[in-house]
């Protein structure tokens, strides 16, 4: 499936209109990460929800972004969010 730039733009606009983004569940290539990246770039809050013990134990693919952002090392979290290192100084 090819990435759709219109969806990226939609996610960016939604983040621009929000005070925070709540990342409920996303895989490492999930569309929810677009809004998550945007909200960070706007200097607003990204809230990442922890996942169920069952999903964590089963290493469900659709929770891997949440797990990375909650439990990963800082450099892994930045790489996972931005794929390419940026000049942001984040305390995440």
């Amino acid at each position: 499936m090819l990435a759709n730039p219109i969806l990226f733009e939609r996610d960016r606009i939604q983040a621009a209109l929000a005070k925070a983004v709540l990342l409920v569940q996303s895989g490492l290539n999930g569309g929810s990460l677009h809004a998550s990246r945007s909200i960070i770039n706007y200097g607003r809050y990204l809230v990442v929800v922890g996942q169920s013990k069952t999903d964590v134990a089963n290493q469900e693919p659709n929770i891997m972004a949440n797990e990375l952002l909650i439990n990963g090392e800082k450099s892994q979290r930045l790489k996972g969010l931005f794929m390419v290192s940026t000049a942001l100084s984040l305390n995440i």
Side-chain angles (χ1 to χ4, degrees):
M1 183 173 167
L2 295 175
N4 186 338
I6 293 172
L7 296 178
F8 297 166
E9 185 67 7
R10 178 205 62 193
D11 294 338
R12 185 192 64 75
I13 292 168
Q14 287 175 336
L17 297 171
K19 292 183 180 181
V21 165
L22 182 66
L23 182 62
V24 174
Q25 190 175 69
S26 181
L28 293 174
N29 295 318
S32 298
L33 289 178
H34 303 298
S36 298
R37 287 182 197 105
S38 293
I39 204 76
I40 295 280
N41 284 330
Y42 293 131
R44 300 189 191 137
Y45 297 102
L46 172 62
V47 180
V48 182
V49 177
Q51 301 299 297
S52 73
K53 291 179 183 178
T54 302
D55 284 350
V56 171
N58 292 335
Q59 296 184 353
E60 295 292 338
N62 289 337
I63 69 162
M64 289 297 122
N66 294 64
E67 286 298 295
L68 176 67
L69 294 173
I70 292 170
N71 298 314
E73 297 290 326
K74 184 175 181 177
S75 62
Q76 292 174 314
R77 292 183 286 185
L78 288 171
K79 184 178 178 184
L81 256 181
F82 295 101
M83 306 301 169
V84 176
S85 180
T86 63
L88 295 175
S89 96
L90 302 174
N91 189 20
I92 59 173

